[in-house]
Amino acid sequence: MATGGMDEASNMKVVLKHYVSGSPQETDMHLTAGTIKLKVPKDSNSIILKNLYLSCDPYMIFKMMKLERQLTDPYVLGSPITGYGVAKVLDSAHPGFAKDDLVWGITGWEEYSLISDPKNFFKIQHTDVPLSYYAGILGMPGITAYIGFYELCAPKKGDYVFVSAACGAVGQLVGQFAKLHGCHVVGSAGSPEKVGILKNKFGFDEAFNYKDEPDFDATLKRHCPEGIDIYFDNVGGKMLDAVLLNLRPHARIAVCGMISQYNREQPDGVQNLSSMVSKEARMQGYLATNYYHLYPKYLEMILPLIKESKVVYVEDVADGLENAPKALVGIFSGRNIGKQVVAVNCL
Amino acid sequence: MATGGMDEASNMKVVLKHYVSGSPQETDMHLTAGTIKLKVPKDSNSIILKNLYLSCDPYMIFKMMKLERQLTDPYVLGSPITGYGVAKVLDSAHPGFAKDDLVWGITGWEEYSLISDPKNFFKIQHTDVPLSYYAGILGMPGITAYIGFYELCAPKKGDYVFVSAACGAVGQLVGQFAKLHGCHVVGSAGSPEKVGILKNKFGFDEAFNYKDEPDFDATLKRHCPEGIDIYFDNVGGKMLDAVLLNLRPHARIAVCGMISQYNREQPDGVQNLSSMVSKEARMQGYLATNYYHLYPKYLEMILPLIKESKVVYVEDVADGLENAPKALVGIFSGRNIGKQVVAVNCL
């Protein structure tokens, strides 16, 4: 909203107070008010964004920590945290972007952002779908599901597929892709409601609430009696260990994330890796960001599937930046149902 | 040696007394005397073998155990145990084999064996190399090294390669293949003598005695300061866990075996698998037996290398069937230096 000088707006930000260890809490962040000039600096390549949707993603926990082995630059204390988002360009000094363009990419957790080097932003070309989808099914989580399943798991019709965190931003897509591919699909999630969604909305053949299961090996033997050809691993730890005991020969494991381990000082020890030998299994870790060259190919596949309702997408939309910290910490305890986004501004 | 009727010979056998748990001991086996007719039964497909060399291989421990999850048929108590061996055909009713053929394949731990279905035996065509090599570099361990390194690890010149159990039947070959390929190669082994062989005989760039190293992560940081592109894993467990902390982006791990875990009731827990994601690493388990169609291609590569001494092979030859149990149990504590074979009969 306009304030002070003509081009200046008030700008609420979400700031990290201190680095965290273990599960992040709402109180690790706070909201601060600031102001921003809504004009790009002269002689720059900058763009000014009005942030519309912010994405809550598991990798963000690593930027909230200061680790001995830092995988990624930590957030700067006192500055707004960053993450994927969908935004409208208010002003641009960059030849690739114009006022009113819609874009997605890494933006700030604030109402408006000055992006000094916008080269990694994607311009949104298709607006006949919900814009928030560009934080999910049409953004990084979508590419993650697409690459992990189609490129890394080499799926075949009739394969037995198991997906953990199956109701999440990525898992719900993997399950639906696998069903469309003619696979038998089982998913795990953390509440009866999510289990119902897996079966009734996404068409999983079987689903279970892992919180009700004391012995994952026995659970998998019950739900996947034929064994597992493809495991799409979002969680790591004990579930991965149980999956290793239930692999079929030449099984493929795509390791997308290990969210069950991210807030642990001492990760679970995985004991059953010798199954990798006897089952001649393959485990492949990956980062979707290194596959963005395949984004156009993915869009070509996914847009018609969305429009024909052959793939659906469940989002959990928190309203307003003031609810963003709660939304973010919620994904580490599974409070969200579907892809967690935060609606910041209206278009 | 001939005894009784003209075609009958005495036949010493190594027999498993009882199933084992944990490390096998010499006393888990005993030698028994028997007799064998050295003529094949009429109307059969059999061959009679005079066993020359027997191979001691890590997988044999699984056949000495009776497990809840049996990976392979256990040995039959009271019958001779089986394993890879090199043998001469004494008599044959099978159209593919003739008297005096030399062969390698799975035979009995005894002086002479009746093989009722010899279809998985390979005929030895090249005898200008030591025959015992067909239990090692020219047999299953050789194919294991070849497939694991060339087919599964996608090696590139300049790659940083680490090999565990590097002085063993497979590891010594992987290290030499990697050097021939222009890689930087580091190996671990279990004695100063083995470390010397790695550096002086096989040309490893660096080698260390893992028994002297309390902190494998620190050890790897010292010996592989650039990180690891390819890990050829023969041991699993704590070494694998430390390797995961030292991977370079897009690292490849071939899991050939996990000998450090085979005699453990409770395998080590591997805690650092989340590196698979951040390093976009691939881990591939495999069984060489499923790649025997590539054996002719391997022979074409390896025979000239042996003859030109570009690849050397260290064997540890135990003399006589009476020393076979000791030789076999020795491989699980690393008593052998190089490929452990047992010389049973002279040609």
Side-chain angles (χ1 to χ4, degrees):
Chain A
M1 101 194 48
T3 169
M6 255 188 63
D7 297 335
E8 200 157 273
S10 71
N11 194 19
M12 195 62 70
K13 304 157 189 272
V14 175
V15 165
L16 187 64
K17 280 196 249 179
H18 44 246
Y19 293 109
V20 308
S21 64
S23 292
Q25 308 296 324
E26 269 187 77
T27 50
D28 296 324
M29 291 163 272
H30 65 148
L31 276 97
T32 60
T35 59
I36 185 170
K37 282 205 170 152
L38 296 181
K39 283 279 175 203
V40 291
K42 276 177 195 165
D43 304 322
S44 78
N45 263 318
S46 311
I47 57 177
I48 299 280
L49 296 181
K50 180 183 182 186
N51 293 312
L52 307 176
Y53 294 99
L54 299 176
S55 175
C56 299
D57 291 300
Y59 81 87
M60 297 168 76
I61 196 173
F62 296 116
K63 299 181 82 74
M64 300 176 86
M65 294 173 162
K66 204 144 197 180
L67 300 165
E68 203 186 326
R69 302 168 190 282
Q70 195 74 32
L71 297 170
T72 173
D73 290 336
Y75 288 135
V76 178
L77 299 183
S79 292
I81 69 171
T82 61
Y84 283 95
V86 181
K88 190 166 89 166
V89 176
L90 295 186
D91 193 21
S92 173
H94 189 287
F97 299 94
K99 184 170 184 306
D100 294 334
D101 277 352
L102 293 166
V103 298
W104 71 268
I106 303 262
T107 187
W109 276 41
E110 54 193 343
E111 293 171 278
Y112 303 94
S113 296
L114 167 69
I115 306 291
S116 50
D117 181 5
K119 70 170 183 294
N120 292 323
F121 274 80
F122 292 88
K123 271 172 79 163
I124 292 173
Q125 314 282 2
H126 303 271
T127 54
D128 49 352
V129 289
L131 275 182
S132 57
Y133 278 16
Y134 288 93
I137 184 171
L138 297 175
M140 184 272 283
I143 306 164
T144 303
Y146 172 71
I147 295 301
F149 184 67
Y150 289 107
E151 297 284 320
L152 304 182
C153 289
K156 294 186 304 292
K157 191 167 185 280
D159 273 349
Y160 293 90
V161 174
F162 174 58
V163 186
S164 53
C167 203
V170 176
Q172 59 175 301
L173 292 175
V174 173
Q176 293 179 81
F177 293 166
K179 283 307 299 174
L180 287 171
H181 206 75
C183 301
H184 185 271
V185 186
V186 177
S188 65
S191 75
E193 186 180 0
K194 291 180 188 178
V195 168
I197 292 172
L198 291 183
K199 291 206 256 195
N200 304 323
K201 195 162 180 77
F202 302 137
F204 282 58
D205 297 288
E206 296 274 343
F208 62 87
N209 177 358
Y210 74 89
K211 291 179 181 168
D212 285 345
E213 302 292 336
D215 175 353
F216 291 165
D217 178 29
T219 307
L220 290 174
K221 293 214 163 13
R222 202 165 70 242
H223 288 282
C224 312
E226 311 287 337
I228 296 166
D229 291 299
I230 291 176
Y231 174 41
F232 193 94
D233 187 7
N234 286 305
V235 304
K238 291 189 191 310
M239 189 64 86
L240 172 58
D241 219 4
V243 167
L244 287 166
L245 295 175
N246 290 279
L247 296 178
R248 289 163 65 89
H250 302 105
R252 287 84 69 198
I253 301 175
V255 192
C256 170
M258 295 197 162
I259 199 171
S260 76
Q261 307 298 297
Y262 291 166
N263 50 6
R264 302 278 288 278
E265 298 256 320
Q266 183 81 332
D268 287 329
V270 173
Q271 299 189 314
N272 300 316
L273 282 169
S274 61
S275 296
M276 296 288 295
V277 183
S278 55
K279 299 300 180 178
E280 302 194 87
R282 184 176 73 215
M283 186 185 294
Q284 176 79 58
Y286 71 109
L287 299 169
T289 43
N290 290 338
Y291 292 88
Y292 280 172
H293 58 286
L294 296 176
Y295 182 56
K297 192 177 156 202
Y298 171 59
L299 276 188
E300 212 169 281
M301 180 196 91
I302 195 69
L303 283 167
L305 291 174
I306 294 173
K307 288 173 192 166
E308 294 161 23
S309 298
K310 287 186 180 157
V311 167
V312 296
Y313 200 60
V314 171
E315 296 175 300
D316 196 329
V317 184
D319 198 29
L321 205 58
E322 63 279 15
N323 289 312
K326 183 177 174 186
L328 177 56
V329 306
I331 67 169
F332 298 102
S333 58
R335 201 160 51 203
N336 55 310
I337 294 182
K339 167 65 195 170
Q340 181 70 60
V341 293
V342 179
V344 179
N345 282 303
C346 298
L347 188 57
Chain B
M1 105 194 43
T3 171
M6 256 188 63
D7 297 335
E8 201 158 272
S10 71
N11 194 19
M12 195 62 70
K13 304 155 190 272
V14 175
V15 165
L16 187 65
K17 280 197 249 179
H18 42 246
Y19 293 109
V20 308
S21 65
S23 293
Q25 308 296 323
E26 269 186 78
T27 50
D28 296 324
M29 291 164 271
H30 63 149
L31 277 98
T32 60
T35 60
I36 185 170
K37 282 204 171 153
L38 297 181
K39 282 281 174 201
V40 290
K42 276 177 195 165
D43 305 323
S44 77
N45 263 319
S46 310
I47 57 177
I48 299 281
L49 296 180
K50 182 184 182 185
N51 292 312
L52 307 176
Y53 294 99
L54 299 175
S55 175
C56 299
D57 290 301
Y59 81 88
M60 296 168 76
I61 197 174
F62 295 117
K63 298 181 82 73
M64 300 176 85
M65 295 173 162
K66 205 145 196 178
L67 301 165
E68 206 187 324
R69 304 169 189 282
Q70 195 74 33
L71 297 170
T72 171
D73 290 336
Y75 289 136
V76 178
L77 298 183
S79 293
I81 69 170
T82 60
Y84 283 95
V86 181
K88 188 166 92 165
V89 176
L90 296 186
D91 192 21
S92 172
H94 190 287
F97 298 94
K99 186 169 182 307
D100 294 333
D101 277 354
L102 293 166
V103 297
W104 71 268
I106 303 261
T107 187
W109 276 42
E110 54 193 342
E111 292 171 277
Y112 303 95
S113 295
L114 168 69
I115 306 292
S116 51
D117 181 4
K119 69 170 184 295
N120 291 324
F121 274 81
F122 292 87
K123 272 171 81 164
I124 291 173
Q125 315 281 3
H126 303 272
T127 55
D128 50 352
V129 289
L131 276 182
S132 56
Y133 277 17
Y134 288 93
I137 183 172
L138 296 176
M140 183 272 282
I143 306 164
T144 302
Y146 172 72
I147 295 300
F149 184 67
Y150 289 107
E151 298 284 320
L152 304 182
C153 288
K156 292 186 304 293
K157 193 167 184 282
D159 273 349
Y160 293 89
V161 175
F162 174 58
V163 187
S164 53
C167 203
V170 175
Q172 59 176 299
L173 292 175
V174 173
Q176 292 180 81
F177 294 166
K179 282 308 300 174
L180 287 171
H181 207 75
C183 301
H184 186 271
V185 186
V186 177
S188 64
S191 75
E193 186 180 359
K194 292 181 189 178
V195 167
I197 292 172
L198 292 183
K199 290 206 255 192
N200 303 323
K201 196 165 178 75
F202 301 137
F204 281 59
D205 297 289
E206 295 274 343
F208 63 87
N209 177 358
Y210 74 90
K211 290 179 181 167
D212 286 345
E213 301 292 337
D215 176 351
F216 291 164
D217 179 28
T219 308
L220 291 174
K221 293 212 162 16
R222 202 165 70 243
H223 288 282
C224 312
E226 310 288 338
I228 295 167
D229 291 299
I230 291 178
Y231 174 42
F232 193 95
D233 187 8
N234 287 304
V235 304
K238 291 188 191 311
M239 189 63 84
L240 172 59
D241 220 4
V243 166
L244 287 166
L245 295 176
N246 289 278
L247 296 178
R248 288 163 65 90
H250 302 105
R252 288 83 70 198
I253 300 175
V255 192
C256 168
M258 294 198 161
I259 198 170
S260 77
Q261 306 299 296
Y262 290 167
N263 49 6
R264 303 277 290 277
E265 299 255 321
Q266 185 81 332
D268 288 328
V270 172
Q271 299 190 314
N272 301 316
L273 282 169
S274 61
S275 296
M276 297 287 297
V277 182
S278 55
K279 299 300 178 176
E280 302 194 271
R282 184 176 73 215
M283 186 185 295
Q284 175 79 58
Y286 72 109
L287 299 169
T289 44
N290 290 338
Y291 292 87
Y292 280 173
H293 58 286
L294 297 175
Y295 182 56
K297 191 177 156 201
Y298 171 58
L299 276 187
E300 212 169 282
M301 179 196 91
I302 196 69
L303 283 167
L305 292 173
I306 293 173
K307 288 172 193 167
E308 296 161 23
S309 298
K310 288 187 180 155
V311 167
V312 295
Y313 200 59
V314 171
E315 297 176 300
D316 195 328
V317 183
D319 198 30
L321 205 58
E322 63 277 16
N323 290 311
K326 184 177 173 186
L328 177 56
V329 305
I331 67 170
F332 298 103
S333 58
R335 201 160 50 202
N336 55 309
I337 293 181
K339 167 64 193 172
Q340 181 70 60
V341 293
V342 179
V344 179
N345 281 304
C346 298
L347 188 57

